[in-house]
């Protein structure tokens, strides 16, 4: 079905532009007077010195979670690397000494230059080993190496960091696997 | 001193002064444009450039820009017509600065037997010469577009010439009606005619005898045409960046680009002063004549002091509010206290001026000092009126979107042209009955 949108017909005073222009000038004049005498109402933050709080549900840079002994939770199952649409996760698996673990990541590299920040790796992980909640806004670098995250950089953070900040999204699981909670969350919506 | 020497000195002094007025207004206008844009869009605007932490509300950004542009490489592309390419920015700037030479900025001083005019050339048909010079402005744009040998520059300059020629018509006809009302063509006589009260059919109307009240239609037509003549929004199709890159100055860089940029602002300053002269009574103070002011020059000085006090008070409030709101967390070194110190200085200046008023009221001045005081008040009046138009330029730029080319031509030829013709006829009828 074709819907025809007709151009608004300008008639009378509106065609002379004068009234419309004066109305527009009055609107901007109100902004001028308000901002001139009440600068405290401006939303601007003086950025590098003052920063706004980052919400806890912020999807930021990646980090790897740790077990109690400090080793990475990751078992190098490759689910995140497989689900990644940008192919930015490179995992090199090694055989683990622990009898309950088959593998561990010898090397875990995320190339932020390729990453599209879709969050699919976090949803794919069955062990909640990878999260994207580092509250950094700018992580640009001068060299390529500055924005390629190695396993050491990803493991710098403690598990407790960032998790229980105010406004934390309860639908995002803390210690249990991501998938089950996500399915429950979808059920609740229905 | 014979009158010829005195006249020569007068002309040289006033030429230097009038040459410098637009040049001093340009950095101020660039600052006003940036801050005006910011404040209309709920932003704060440039604030970061500083010397030892002193920021002066972003005024230093203009200096930083000038230094940057001066030290940039001056590129002349191989495909341009070198003579026209180099000539165009200088042409624009010169034509922008010259018309001010015909504008009086205060009533003449009587020094002994000589008359010191606050005007470079009191030319008897000054208004015609003024518009002749303004009409040359289109060549600067057109030389630039033609010499650049680039289709976007050429398109921009073609638009500009068509636009400026079309609007010059409406402007010229608006001026005809004004000239009929004043029955004068010399700029200084036009300003003198605008003193005192307005008279219509032998009744005194409680309005100053200004062009805007005598002939409001001509004022509106002139205002719209002046926006088009200076290539400002909503008529800035010449540099419509969404369509033709940057228009006529696409190929220009460094100080040549800066000259075009400055010429635009110089044009605005000149157009504002011309509009203030023709329609807002020039240097005249409403309701009082120059003679009355000169006989009561102590009151004139009081008026100057009160105006200074009011301006300082408002500026002080604005600065103090900012000092409070920003918290100065971003500042370092001297900048931490800068806004507070400046606002206190402004408050102190306002207080000083107010305290001086009762002293000044009891003073009586001799002939020459009282003339100088009145001249100062008149200059303040003229530049105050010009500032209204300068702010209007900024305000309109950040309110209205750009006109389409056919809308522009329709407005010029189908509305402004007939309206100004009709206005001439009506003015003629009214004048024949008075």
């Amino acid at each position: 079905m074709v819907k025809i949108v007709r151009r608004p017909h300008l008639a009378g005073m509106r065609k002379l532009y004068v009234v419309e222009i004066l109305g527009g000038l009055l609107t901007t004049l109100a902004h001028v007077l308000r901002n001139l005498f009440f600068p405290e109402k401006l939303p601007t933050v003086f950025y590098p010195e003052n920063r706004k709080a980052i919400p806890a549900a912020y999807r930021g840079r990646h980090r790897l979670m740790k077990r109690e002994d400090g080793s990475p939770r990751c078992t190098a199952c490759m689910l995140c690397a497989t689900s990644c649409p940008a192919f930015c996760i490179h995992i090199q698996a090694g055989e683990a000494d622990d009898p309950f673990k088959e593998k561990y990541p010898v090397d875990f590299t995320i190339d932020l230059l390729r990453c599209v920040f879709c969050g699919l790796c976090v949803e794919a992980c069955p062990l909640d080993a990878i999260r994207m909640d580092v509250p950094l806004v700018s992580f640009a670098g001068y060299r390529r190496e500055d924005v390629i995250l190695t396993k050491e950089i990803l493991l710098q953070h403690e598990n407790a960091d960032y998790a229980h900040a105010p406004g934390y999204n309860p639908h995002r699981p803390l210690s249990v696997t991501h998938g089950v909670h996500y399915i429950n969350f979808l059920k609740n919506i229905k | 001193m014979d009158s010829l020497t005195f006249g020569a000195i007068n002309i040289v002094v006033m030429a230097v002064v009038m040459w410098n007025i637009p040049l001093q207004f340009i950095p101020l206008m660039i600052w006003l444009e940036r801050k005006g844009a910011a404040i209309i869009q709920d932003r704060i605007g440039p604030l970061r450039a500083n010397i030892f932490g002193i920021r002066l509300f972003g005024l230093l950004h203009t200096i930083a820009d000038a230094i940057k542009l001066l030290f940039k490489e001056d590129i002349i592309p191989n495909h341009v017509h070198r003579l026209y390419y180099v000539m165009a920015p200088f042409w624009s700037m010169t034509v922008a600065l010259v018309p001010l030479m015909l504008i009086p900025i205060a009533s003449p001083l009587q020094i002994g037997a000589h008359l010191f005019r606050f005007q470079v050339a009191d030319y008897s048909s000054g208004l015609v010469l003024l518009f002749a010079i303004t009409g040359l402005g289109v060549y600067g744009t057109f030389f630039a577009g033609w010499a650049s040998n680039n289709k976007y520059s050429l398109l921009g300059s073609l638009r500009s010439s068509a636009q400026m020629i079309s609007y010059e018509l409406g402007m010229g006809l608006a001026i005809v009606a004004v000239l009929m009302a004043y029955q004068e063509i010399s700029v200084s006589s036009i300003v003198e005619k605008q003193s005192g009260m307005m008279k219509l059919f032998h009744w005194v109307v409680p309005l100053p005898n200004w062009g805007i009240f005598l002939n409001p239609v001509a004022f509106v037509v002139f205002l719209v045409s002046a926006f088009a003549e200076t290539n400002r929004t909503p008529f800035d199709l010449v540099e419509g960046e969404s369509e033709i890159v940057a228009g006529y100055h696409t190929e220009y860089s460094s100080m040549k680009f800066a000259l075009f940029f400055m010429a635009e602002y110089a044009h605005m300053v000149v157009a504002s002063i011309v509009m203030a002269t023709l329609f807002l009574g020039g240097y005249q103070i409403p309701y009082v004549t120059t003679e009355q002011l000169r006989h009561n020059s102590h009151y004139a000085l009081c008026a100057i002091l009160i105006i200074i006090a009011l301006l300082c008070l408002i500026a002080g409030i604005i600065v103090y509010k900012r000092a409070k709101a920003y918290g100065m967390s971003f500042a370092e070194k001297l900048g931490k206290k800068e806004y507070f110190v400046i606002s206190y200085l402004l408050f102190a200046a306002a207080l000083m001026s107010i305290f001086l008023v009762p002293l000044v009221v009891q003073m009586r001045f001799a002939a020459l000092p009282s003339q100088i005081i009145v001249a100062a008040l008149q200059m303040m009046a003229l530049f105050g009126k010009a500032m209204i138009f300068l702010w209007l330029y900024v305000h309109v730029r950040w309110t209205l979107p750009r006109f389409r080319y056919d809308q522009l031509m329709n407005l010029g030829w189908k509305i402004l042209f007939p309206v100004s013709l009709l206005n001439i006829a009506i003015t003629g009828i009214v004048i024949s009955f008075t």
Side-chain angles (χ1 to χ4, degrees):
Chain A
M1 190 189 147
V2 181
K3 189 184 172 192
I4 297 168
V5 181
R6 298 203 180 276
R7 286 186 176 240
H9 179 63
L10 294 181
M13 288 304 281
R14 288 184 71 190
K15 205 169 185 178
L16 266 179
Y17 303 117
V18 176
V19 181
E20 304 292 299
I21 285 174
L22 287 181
L25 287 177
L26 272 182
T27 308
T28 39
L29 187 67
H31 280 262
V32 169
L33 292 179
R34 196 194 65 188
N35 297 334
L36 206 55
F37 292 102
F38 302 99
E40 65 273 8
K41 289 186 181 171
L42 288 172
T44 310
V45 172
F46 289 90
Y47 167 61
E49 295 88 6
N50 306 344
R51 297 178 188 222
K52 279 189 171 177
I54 292 167
Y58 174 73
R59 180 188 289 164
R61 220 190 65 187
H62 312 69
R63 63 165 169 147
L64 283 180
M65 307 295 282
K66 292 177 197 166
R67 289 165 203 272
E68 279 167 5
D69 60 354
S71 62
R73 268 189 204 167
C74 177
T75 54
C77 70
M78 299 290 185
L79 276 180
C80 53
T82 313
S83 68
C84 180
F87 307 115
C88 71
I89 304 177
H90 306 285
I91 305 170
Q92 197 190 341
E95 202 171 326
D97 298 335
D98 188 347
F100 297 102
K101 265 201 297 185
E102 271 184 49
K103 298 186 287 180
Y104 80 103
V106 178
D107 185 26
F108 194 108
T109 310
I110 295 179
D111 186 352
L112 282 185
L113 293 172
R114 301 193 66 128
C115 180
V116 293
F117 288 86
C118 62
L120 285 181
C121 49
V122 180
E123 295 193 13
C125 185
L127 291 170
D128 189 27
I130 185 168
R131 285 190 190 171
M132 292 179 72
D133 57 0
V134 179
L136 277 177
V137 174
S138 65
F139 31 90
Y142 286 101
R143 288 167 299 150
R144 238 162 240 267
E145 298 81 59
D146 292 345
V147 281
I148 294 176
L149 306 177
T150 57
K151 186 178 155 190
E152 290 73 39
I153 298 171
L154 289 164
L155 279 169
Q156 270 172 1
H157 314 273
E158 290 304 316
N159 278 4
D161 290 354
Y162 325 129
H164 292 289
Y168 182 71
N169 184 356
H171 298 302
R172 197 158 170 197
L174 288 177
S175 53
V176 212
T177 60
H178 198 296
V180 173
H181 269 259
Y182 194 63
I183 290 162
N184 288 339
F185 168 55
L186 288 180
K187 276 178 191 165
N188 286 340
I189 286 178
K190 281 169 190 170
Chain B
M1 196 192 295
D2 62 337
S3 61
L4 202 66
T5 325
F6 187 84
I9 291 170
N10 183 354
I11 285 175
V12 169
V13 168
M14 282 318 291
V16 172
V17 170
M18 298 305 263
W19 190 263
N20 268 298
I21 285 169
L23 292 180
Q24 301 308 319
F25 260 106
I26 287 165
L28 190 71
M29 277 309 296
I30 293 170
W31 174 79
L32 186 71
E33 177 109 75
R34 285 178 175 160
K35 281 289 185 187
I39 214 164
I40 283 173
Q41 297 166 352
D42 295 347
R43 293 187 285 111
I44 279 172
L47 200 64
R48 289 285 166 172
N50 65 72
I51 298 172
F52 304 119
I54 300 262
R55 289 155 200 268
L56 290 178
F57 328 110
L59 269 170
L60 294 174
H61 276 260
T62 330
I63 298 168
D65 280 347
I67 293 170
K68 186 200 89 173
L69 283 166
L70 271 172
F71 283 94
K72 269 179 97 168
E73 187 189 352
D74 190 9
I75 301 166
I76 300 184
N78 277 330
H79 56 78
V80 300
H81 188 298
R82 288 182 76 95
L83 175 65
Y84 295 158
Y85 181 85
V86 175
M87 195 168 77
F90 295 101
W91 184 286
S92 289
M93 197 63 199
T94 313
V95 169
L97 291 178
V98 166
L100 216 56
M101 300 298 159
L102 298 156
I103 307 286
I105 55 171
S107 52
L109 294 182
Q110 188 75 42
I111 302 174
H114 307 295
L115 204 63
F116 184 91
R117 292 178 197 285
F118 285 100
Q119 184 181 16
V120 179
D122 191 7
Y123 190 52
S124 54
S125 53
L127 203 55
V128 178
L129 184 61
L130 201 152
F131 285 97
I133 295 166
T134 318
L136 292 176
V138 67
Y139 286 101
T141 326
F142 198 77
F143 282 147
W146 181 256
S148 291
N149 197 6
N150 163 345
K151 61 184 161 194
Y152 292 118
S153 300
L154 187 62
L155 276 173
S157 60
L158 272 175
R159 284 176 173 194
S160 133
S161 8
Q163 171 188 334
M164 285 164 106
I165 289 166
S166 310
Y167 278 82
E168 216 141 73
L169 208 72
M171 205 177 202
L173 290 175
I175 280 306
V176 169
V178 174
L179 295 184
M180 284 163 72
Y182 295 138
Q183 315 213 327
E184 287 284 357
I185 200 164
S186 142
V187 182
S188 54
S189 323
I190 286 179
V191 175
E192 270 157 34
K193 277 243 169 181
Q194 292 186 71
S195 71
M197 301 285 270
M198 189 173 152
K199 269 184 186 170
L200 194 68
F201 301 114
H202 308 293
W203 295 307
V204 175
V205 185
L207 285 173
N209 193 21
W210 288 356
I212 185 173
F213 302 120
L214 285 176
N215 216 329
V217 179
F219 171 71
V220 172
V221 172
F222 194 92
L223 186 70
V224 175
S225 307
F227 273 80
E229 281 286 305
T230 46
N231 292 323
R232 290 282 294 183
T233 331
F235 307 110
D236 64 338
L237 298 134
V238 183
E239 40 195 308
E241 59 284 310
S242 52
E243 300 142 17
I244 47 170
V245 195
Y248 63 99
H249 58 59
T250 307
E251 302 280 359
Y252 285 84
S253 59
S254 171
M255 212 51 205
K256 289 203 185 72
F257 164 74
L259 273 177
F260 275 125
F261 193 66
M262 282 154 67
E264 188 191 327
Y265 286 93
H267 259 298
M268 278 163 56
V269 173
V270 171
S272 305
I273 292 178
V274 168
M275 278 192 280
T277 305
L278 292 180
F279 292 101
L280 290 191
Y283 54 74
Q284 301 285 357
I285 318 288
Y287 301 114
V288 279
T289 61
T290 311
E291 282 310 305
Q292 285 170 339
L293 275 175
R294 282 184 177 168
H295 287 191
N296 303 298
S297 57
H298 50 290
Y299 286 128
L301 193 54
C302 285
I304 293 177
L305 286 175
I306 289 169
I307 291 169
I308 289 174
L310 274 178
L311 289 179
C312 284
L313 188 67
I314 294 171
I317 290 171
I318 291 169
V319 175
Y320 185 74
K321 279 267 188 180
R322 268 158 182 66
K324 281 280 199 192
Y326 298 169
M328 293 297 123
S329 53
F330 57 87
E332 70 268 355
K333 292 179 204 158
L334 296 170
K336 286 246 184 264
K337 293 281 167 218
E338 183 204 351
Y339 276 39
F340 283 108
V341 169
I342 289 176
S343 65
Y344 292 147
L345 284 178
L346 284 167
F347 287 138
L351 268 179
M352 278 262 290
S353 321
I354 286 294
F355 280 134
L356 280 176
V357 167
L359 292 176
V360 168
V361 166
Q362 290 157 5
M363 289 163 91
R364 292 292 177 274
F365 296 99
L368 190 62
S370 65
Q371 286 182 18
I372 292 171
I373 289 166
V374 173
L377 184 61
Q378 286 173 335
M379 283 180 207
M380 281 171 76
L382 178 64
F383 292 120
K385 288 165 187 173
M387 277 312 289
I388 296 173
F389 289 112
L390 287 173
W391 168 251
L392 193 68
Y393 270 112
V394 173
H395 195 164
V396 166
R397 172 164 181 185
W398 300 103
T399 304
L400 300 182
R402 185 178 293 142
F403 272 76
R404 219 169 48 219
Y405 190 68
D406 60 315
Q407 291 172 327
L408 177 89
M409 282 297 160
N410 278 346
L411 184 70
W413 287 96
K414 292 187 186 167
I415 300 180
L416 294 187
F417 180 52
V419 162
S420 43
L421 272 182
L422 200 66
N423 188 35
I424 290 176
I426 293 170
T427 314
I429 292 167
V430 171
I431 285 172
S432 65
F433 281 107
T434 47

